[in-house]
Amino acid sequence: MIISISGKAGSGKSTIARLLSKKLGLKHYSSGDFMRDIAKENKLTLLELSKLAEKEIWVDKELDSRQKKLGEKEDNFVIDGRLSWHFIPKSAKIYLDVEDKAAAKRIWGDKINRKEESYKDIKELAKKLNQRQASEIKRYKKYYNLNYHDKKNYDLIIDTSNLTPDTIVKNIIGFVKKKR
C-alpha cells in the first residue's frame, strides 16, 4: 500500500505522514525534504528555489524523478508532497486542507523542523506562504496543466484546521481499510 498526502503548506502533511507511517509500520518519504535537499545542494532558500523553478524546469524534473523512481521501486510507504498523487498514481490519494490563519500559526510554531526558514513575524510568514503557493500553482499549471488544489484528484479530503493529528490519522486509517 502506498499513501500519498498532498495539501496546503501548514495543513500538517509531514506531521500526518510521519504519524501515519509509524502507526501502519510503513516507511515515510517527503517531497518537501527532497525540495529542501535540492535547495541546500544549490545553496538556496526554499522560496528562492521555488522562484527559480518558475523559470528553470530542472528543479521540478529532479523532484519528479525522485518521486517517480520511488513509486516504481518501492511499495508500502507514505509520502507527503503536493504532486506525489500524480507521480505515484497507484497511491491512495489524500488531500489535507487548512485555513490560512491556522496554517501560518502552525508553521510559526514549527521552528525546529524549519530552521532554514525565517520570518520577522506571523504576518510576513502568511505573506510568504501565499507567495509560495502562487508560485507552485503557476509552475504546476505551466509544466503539468495540474492544480493540486482540485479536489477531484483525491480519494479523501480532510480539513485539518480544527482537528488533532491523531484524529486525522484515525480518519485516514479508517478510509484506507475500507478502500482495501
Side-chain angles (χ1 to χ4, degrees):
M1 164 185 16
I2 300 172
I3 301 170
S4 61
I5 300 179
S6 182
K8 293 170 86 175
S11 63
K13 291 180 306 299
S14 297
T15 299
I16 299 307
R18 278 192 301 272
L19 288 170
L20 186 62
S21 64
K22 198 172 192 175
K23 282 259 191 210
L24 295 174
L26 302 174
K27 285 186 182 179
H28 169 246
Y29 296 97
S30 173
S31 69
D33 288 343
F34 295 160
M35 192 72 161
R36 284 178 184 86
D37 290 345
I38 295 167
K40 195 179 217 178
E41 290 162 14
N42 289 279
K43 297 176 176 40
L44 299 168
T45 67
L46 198 53
L47 183 58
E48 288 169 338
L49 186 66
S50 290
K51 287 289 185 190
L52 181 63
E54 288 180 22
K55 300 173 199 135
E56 303 282 337
I57 197 166
W58 68 264
V59 177
D60 282 291
K61 292 298 178 189
E62 176 62 27
L63 185 60
D64 304 345
S65 174
R66 292 180 190 200
Q67 291 181 85
K68 283 179 190 174
K69 285 179 190 170
L70 186 63
E72 291 165 1
K73 291 181 179 180
E74 289 190 41
D75 204 2
N76 298 315
F77 63 88
V78 177
I79 183 167
D80 62 272
R82 306 259 192 296
L83 296 181
S84 298
W85 59 272
H86 176 72
F87 293 111
I88 308 173
K90 64 182 178 180
S91 64
K93 300 161 186 70
I94 314 297
Y95 181 86
L96 302 182
D97 205 354
V98 66
E99 296 168 3
D100 291 345
K101 197 174 192 177
K105 279 183 177 179
R106 287 179 185 167
I107 291 171
W108 182 258
D110 188 19
K111 295 187 190 321
I112 293 170
N113 294 315
R114 297 175 181 264
K115 292 174 191 154
E116 74 282 355
E117 300 171 42
S118 63
Y119 312 98
K120 67 179 178 189
D121 57 30
I122 203 160
K123 256 187 181 173
E124 180 190 22
L125 168 59
K127 182 180 174 185
K128 298 256 182 179
L129 281 178
N130 286 329
Q131 289 174 343
R132 183 171 150 198
Q133 183 173 303
S135 170
E136 291 167 346
I137 288 170
K138 179 179 177 180
R139 199 166 79 237
Y140 302 156
K141 180 75 174 162
K142 177 181 170 184
Y143 294 156
Y144 314 108
N145 198 29
L146 294 174
N147 180 350
Y148 73 94
H149 295 293
D150 187 342
K151 308 293 193 294
K152 73 178 182 203
N153 295 317
Y154 304 96
D155 302 314
L156 177 66
I157 296 128
I158 301 173
D159 184 336
T160 67
S161 301
N162 299 305
L163 298 176
T164 65
D166 285 337
T167 300
I168 297 162
V169 168
K170 284 178 189 170
N171 288 341
I172 295 170
I173 289 172
F175 173 78
V176 294
K177 282 183 178 178
K178 279 185 194 172
K179 191 174 177 175
R180 281 190 192 174

